[in-house]
Structure formats: C-alpha cells, structure tokens
C-alpha cells in the first residue's frame, strides 16, 4: 500500500490526481458521444486548433487557457458554419481548418523565441503543475458538461440513430450538433493541461473503447469510461512517479493499454462462452450470447413522448 500512498504525500500529486480525475469524467461523458458519432477527428482538430490562441495569449501576456478556449471556440464555430453552407463535407471542413489553424499557430510561434516551453506544455500537458485554481476550473467544466449532456441526451440519441426522424420527434438536429461540438470543445480545452492537445484524443477514446466492450447502454458506458479514465490517471501518475516518465504521456498510454486489454479480454470471454454453448448443444445461439453494443444509439432511442 505504501507504493500507492507514498507518491500522494506530495501536494502537487494530490492536485494532479484530483484534476486528472475531473478530466477523466469529462472525457468519459463526452468521449462516449465522440465514439458513437464517429467524431474522433474533430477532437484532434480542435486540440490543434487551440495553438493560435495559446500562441497569441503567450505573446500578449494573457491567460493561456483563455486564449486556447477562444481559439477552440472559433474553430468549432467555423466548422459548423462551413458544414451548414453545404459546400463542403464535414470531414473536409475539419481537415481544412485543422491545417489552417495549426499553420497559423506555427507562424505565430515562429515569431516568439521564448515559446518553446509553452508549446511543449500545450502538446504534452503539465498535469503535475496544476494549481488549486486549475482544479476549480476543471470542476466548473465538469458541471457544464454534465448539465449539457443531460439536457441534450434525448436529442443526441435521436440524431445519432436517424437524423431524418429527429424533426418528427420534435428534435432539432442542428442544435444538437452545435451542443455536441461545444461539449467536445469543453473536453479538449479542459484536458489540455493534463495530457496536452496531442494526447487528449487518447483520453477521450481509450476509456470509452474499453468500456464499450462491456456495456449496452449509453449512461452505463459513460460511468464505466469515467471509472476507467480515473484508473488511467492513477496508474499513469504512479508510473510517472516511479519511472520518471512524462505524466501526461503516461496517462494517455495507460488509457490506450486499457482499451487494448479490454478488447483482448472480451475476445477471450466470448470464445469461452461460445465453447460452452457448443458443448451444451446450442451452437446456433451464439448471436444471443452477447449482444454487442455496436448500435447502442439505436437501442437507446427514446420513443415518442418519452424523455
């Protein structure tokens, strides 16, 4: 037990654990929708889209997080605007803005000789440098995430299942899409200090992919993904403490390893169950053994008049 408790005798490790846990819950909730809707590229693009704002904030002496948040919000709004125009597909709009914002950020950075350290922190995170104010900000981001996710849950589900019937059910797909992009933006901005923009997609996807193997309902996926994300933070911090590795990278790598381990374990469990069924003479019942959650959204679609 001392191996687990000794590192957290330091105040900065406690703040890192608390802040990282808040990030894990935010990413668990938002990442579930990112996986269901296939929006992983959006999360990565918004992460890199923060660079111009961070660069300008550094040059002007403004709060770095504020600059990154403004830049991410501008990119999110631009993606929505280009998509609504109908002239570009969603992934094309993201790709163009991804390159454009990243290039603009590099141009700004190239004019600031003192930006190297800040760029490293932006890309890979500084979870061990968290202050009490950062933890409070993450707590506020978590509250906003939970409120928006709860308020738009029905809209997200219906839109993910079939946008064509959304209007029939009294749902506005456009508003749901804006809210979801906003949640992804909040998650990326909130996570950047913990794991950096380069690794944030790992924390958004890894725990959700791991949880996805064992759950069938969206709320349960969020809960399990949040728990696995918290475990990733704990293990990553311990690895960083004892192996002297980068904390943010250790957290993101642990999340990916959890996803891989979950897939392997799920495969073993399925094989054992299939073998037991064959031994019992029920080989044709394989499909009924484990209803994979590939179309969780359709299973969770609320019926007319049900919230």
């Amino acid at each position: 037990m001392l191996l687990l408790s000794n590192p957290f005798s330091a105040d900065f490790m406690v703040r890192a654990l608390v802040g990282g846990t808040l990030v894990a819950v935010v990413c668990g909730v938002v990442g579930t929708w990112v996986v269901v809707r296939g929006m992983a590229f959006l999360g990565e693009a918004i992460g890199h889209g923060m660079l111009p704002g961070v660069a300008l904030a550094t040059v002007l002496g403004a709060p770095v997080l504020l600059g990154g948040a403004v830049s991410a919000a501008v990119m999110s709004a631009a993606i929505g605007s280009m998509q609504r125009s109908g002239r570009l597909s969603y992934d094309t709009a993201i790709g163009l803005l991804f390159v454009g914002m990243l290039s603009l950020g590099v141009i700004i950075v190239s004019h600031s000789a003192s930006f190297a350290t800040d760029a490293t922190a932006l890309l890979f995170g500084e979870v061990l440098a968290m202050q009490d104010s950062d933890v409070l900000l993450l707590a506020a981001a978590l509250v906003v995430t939970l409120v928006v996710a709860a308020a738009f849950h029905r809209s997200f589900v219906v839109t993910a299942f079939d946008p064509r019937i959304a209007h029939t059910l009294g749902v506005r797909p456009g508003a749901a899409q804006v809210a979801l992009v906003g949640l992804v933006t909040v998650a990326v901005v909130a996570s950047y200090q913990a794991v950096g923009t380069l690794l944030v997609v790992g924390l958004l996807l890894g725990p959700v992919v791991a949880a996805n193997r064992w759950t069938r309902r969206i709320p349960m996926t969020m809960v399990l993904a949040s728990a696995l994300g918290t475990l990733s933070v704990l293990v990553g911090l311990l690895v960083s403490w004892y192996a002297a590795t980068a904390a943010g990278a250790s957290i993101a790598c642990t999340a990916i390893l959890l996803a891989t381990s979950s897939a392997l374990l799920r495969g073993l469990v399925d094989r054992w169950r299939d073998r037991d069924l064959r031994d019992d003479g029920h080989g044709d019942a394989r499909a009924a053994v484990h209803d994979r959650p590939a179309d969780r959204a359709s299973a969770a679609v609320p019926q007319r008049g049900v919230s």
Side-chain angles (χ1 to χ4, degrees):
M1 292 300 294
L2 291 178
L3 289 175
L4 296 177
S5 60
N6 280 344
F8 298 103
S9 60
D11 290 341
F12 71 91
M13 285 291 287
V14 174
R15 285 193 296 269
L17 179 60
V18 174
T21 298
L22 293 172
V23 169
V25 178
V26 171
C27 288
V29 173
V30 178
T32 299
W33 288 116
V34 169
V35 171
V36 170
R37 297 290 301 274
M39 299 172 65
F41 186 37
L42 173 65
E44 184 176 0
I46 291 178
H48 291 297
M50 292 174 59
L51 184 57
V54 171
L56 279 176
T58 302
V59 171
L60 298 176
V64 172
L65 185 60
L66 177 61
V70 171
S71 182
V74 168
M75 182 166 183
S76 299
I79 290 172
S81 177
M82 293 176 70
Q83 184 188 19
R84 286 192 297 272
S85 69
R87 297 180 180 179
L88 293 174
S89 64
Y90 190 61
D91 59 339
T92 301
I94 293 175
L96 288 175
L97 287 169
F98 178 104
V99 176
M101 294 291 278
L102 185 59
S103 300
L104 178 60
V106 172
I107 290 172
I108 297 173
V109 169
S110 66
H111 287 280
S112 177
S114 63
F115 195 81
T117 301
D118 295 318
T120 301
L122 171 69
L123 293 175
F124 303 106
E126 281 187 319
V127 65
L128 299 181
M130 279 193 178
Q131 303 299 317
D132 291 339
S133 58
D134 299 320
V135 175
L136 291 175
L137 190 61
L138 286 171
L142 175 58
V143 171
V144 171
T145 298
L146 293 177
V147 170
V148 174
F152 283 87
H153 179 78
R154 182 171 180 268
S155 300
F156 291 163
V157 171
V158 173
T159 304
F161 174 61
D162 190 346
R164 294 172 299 180
I165 68 171
H167 291 289
T168 305
L169 296 175
V171 173
R172 294 185 298 171
Q177 180 67 15
V178 170
L180 187 53
V181 172
L183 281 182
V184 175
T185 303
V186 170
V188 171
V189 173
S191 304
Y192 107 90
Q193 182 166 354
V195 293
T197 59
L198 195 62
L199 303 174
V200 65
V201 177
L203 201 54
L204 267 176
L205 301 184
V208 177
V209 171
N212 206 31
R213 300 285 179 170
W214 307 96
T215 59
R216 298 185 61 244
R217 308 293 294 183
I218 288 175
M220 286 306 301
T221 301
M222 292 178 176
V223 171
L224 184 55
S226 298
L228 293 175
T230 301
L231 179 61
S232 299
V233 172
L234 175 61
V235 173
L237 289 175
L238 290 173
V239 170
S240 174
W241 177 272
Y242 287 110
T245 58
S250 298
I251 292 171
C253 186
T254 302
I256 300 303
L257 288 175
L258 278 177
T260 304
S261 301
S262 177
L264 294 174
L265 182 58
R266 180 77 262 178
L268 290 175
V269 170
D270 287 347
R271 290 192 190 95
W272 289 334
R273 289 183 172 181
D274 290 346
R275 183 185 60 187
D276 291 341
L277 282 176
R278 287 193 298 268
D279 293 342
D280 292 339
H282 297 290
D284 293 337
R286 177 181 299 182
V289 175
H290 180 70
D291 184 11
R292 289 294 181 88
D295 197 6
R296 178 177 292 98
S298 62
V301 172
Q303 302 299 319
R304 184 188 299 272
V306 179
S307 58

